[in-house]
Amino acid sequence: MFTSRNIRLAVKSRSWNPTQQEWKRAAQCVQIEEKDRIGKFVFKKDAKSAMVGRLLMRYAISKMLNTPSRALRFSRTEKGKPYLLSPIDKTSPRCDLSFNISHQGDYVIFAAERGRQVGVDVMKVEWPRNKPVTEFFNTMEPQLTSQEWNEVKKRTGDMGQLKTFLRFWCLKESLVKTLGTGIGFEVSRLNFKLRTPELSDKQVTTDTEVEIDDDLAPEWRFEETMVDDHCVAVAFQDTAKTDDNEKPGQATQFTVLDIQEVLAGCEPLTGNTPDQEYWEVFSSREEEPGVR
């Protein structure tokens, strides 16, 4: 699950129904500014996803660096990408750890790399809207290239086409998140070439390529898989020297963790005491619009 070079983890946050004790402990284990940010979400499902993301980040990095989770301090870039502020990894001249989180649908996804920047994105393959998929495609038409839309239209049925569209979307978002540039990057500049037509939850696909501004960008590598019915894409620029024991094309499959394991692996931060009001506000909210 944990290596010196990378981590891939997932938690099914949607199915977590935290008890009072669990939510109050979770709030003790995250930095106060993140606790406050999570407390502003209107719906429980969004607050749970955000909380699980912060807990998973602390849990994974403490394991990866062999450092108590309470000693970790995080911040965000101007574009909102989290990074490790302290402690600096003593085994390296600098802290060369990059990590990223994504949550959508039922899952929170986490990826970390040593020696190269990483980005991750997840999308659940579902269509809960009241309008046709084709109308949605018309709205999103500028986001994909003509070649990518041709690939989408090859698929049979609305859901087959939607899955391929979401796959492209995850790839584009994972690359943009690796760069850390935020929404200012025009994803239409990216043209992805799918060498493996369909993703599977049994393997990690590593042969997808990307063109940036019509030029092939071989330095970019992608790992794709399915976690249940969710498309997942991990992106990184492969500028690091390949380890002798890690051949090109090898990839790490996602490990799905139970939230209880993650929560048990996190420690309350100094000065963070149980907050009854924080629980009362959370418990009074709807799970999602129209659902108690």
Side-chain angles (χ1 to χ4, degrees):
M1 184 190 307
F2 297 98
T3 71
S4 60
R5 181 166 181 176
N6 58 44
I7 294 178
R8 307 283 187 265
L9 298 175
V11 172
K12 196 170 186 177
S13 60
R14 193 64 173 270
S15 61
W16 182 34
N17 294 308
T19 64
Q20 178 176 164
Q21 181 179 1
E22 289 172 345
W23 191 251
K24 288 163 69 174
R25 177 179 168 81
Q28 288 181 267
C29 296
V30 299
Q31 291 167 208
I32 187 65
E33 66 272 17
E34 294 298 335
K35 173 187 170 184
D36 291 344
R37 184 181 66 87
I38 293 167
K40 294 177 182 177
F41 283 106
V42 175
F43 299 108
K44 283 182 180 178
K45 69 179 182 65
D46 299 318
K48 290 190 299 181
S49 294
M51 181 67 81
V52 170
R54 303 310 291 188
L55 294 172
L56 188 55
M57 185 172 71
R58 304 192 76 87
Y59 170 87
I61 293 176
S62 69
K63 299 288 187 183
M64 201 171 185
L65 299 183
N66 194 27
T67 301
S69 66
R70 66 179 181 276
L72 302 176
R73 178 76 182 176
F74 298 94
S75 187
R76 292 177 181 266
T77 66
E78 291 183 358
K79 300 296 185 178
K81 187 175 182 178
Y83 66 92
L84 182 64
L85 190 64
S86 66
I88 298 298
D89 181 12
K90 300 299 191 299
T91 67
S92 174
R94 61 182 177 84
C95 186
D96 63 349
L97 175 65
S98 172
F99 55 91
N100 200 226
I101 305 165
S102 181
H103 53 82
Q104 197 277 331
D106 302 336
Y107 279 90
V108 176
I109 302 292
F110 175 90
E113 290 281 331
R114 298 295 294 268
R116 53 194 177 190
Q117 292 295 308
V118 66
V120 63
D121 199 59
V122 58
M123 291 295 294
K124 185 175 183 179
V125 182
E126 64 175 349
W127 188 249
R129 308 186 188 188
N130 294 322
K131 61 182 180 180
V133 172
T134 52
E135 186 176 332
F136 169 70
F137 285 167
N138 289 337
T139 303
M140 301 299 291
E141 192 273 335
Q143 307 306 318
L144 268 58
T145 66
S146 58
Q147 296 97 315
E148 290 168 337
W149 278 118
N150 288 339
E151 193 69 34
V152 169
K153 298 301 173 59
K154 287 180 184 177
R155 302 303 188 266
T156 302
D158 286 353
M159 293 307 295
Q161 292 185 4
L162 180 64
K163 180 179 178 181
T164 302
F165 171 85
L166 294 175
R167 181 181 175 185
F168 278 127
W169 187 257
C170 282
L171 286 164
K172 289 172 184 271
E173 284 293 300
S174 66
L175 187 150
V176 171
K177 291 176 74 175
T178 304
L179 294 173
T181 55
I183 60 176
F185 189 96
E186 294 183 10
V187 295
S188 58
R189 296 172 55 193
L190 308 174
N191 182 55
F192 283 91
K193 296 180 177 293
L194 308 181
R195 305 305 182 190
T196 300
E198 296 292 337
L199 298 181
S200 167
D201 61 358
K202 306 298 184 188
Q203 65 182 27
V204 180
T205 295
T206 60
D207 57 359
T208 296
E209 298 174 327
V210 67
E211 294 175 340
I212 303 178
D213 297 327
D214 299 321
D215 292 326
L216 188 64
E219 72 276 14
W220 282 96
R221 289 182 56 195
F222 303 91
E223 296 175 356
E224 299 179 86
T225 192
M226 297 293 295
V227 176
D228 286 346
D229 53 352
H230 294 59
C231 293
V232 180
V234 180
F236 48 83
Q237 286 181 290
D238 198 18
T239 56
K241 181 180 178 181
T242 301
D243 189 275
D244 292 338
N245 295 322
E246 185 178 356
K247 300 176 182 179
Q250 288 185 329
T252 304
Q253 181 61 279
F254 277 86
T255 299
V256 178
L257 299 178
D258 187 271
I259 183 57
Q260 304 302 330
E261 179 179 349
V262 175
L263 193 54
C266 294
E267 303 164 292
L269 305 186
T270 303
N272 282 8
T273 57
D275 189 336
Q276 180 66 25
E277 182 181 358
Y278 195 73
W279 158 255
E280 291 174 355
V281 171
F282 169 79
S283 62
S284 68
R285 290 178 170 157
E286 295 180 327
E287 176 69 21
E288 56 185 299
V291 178
R292 275 288 175 187

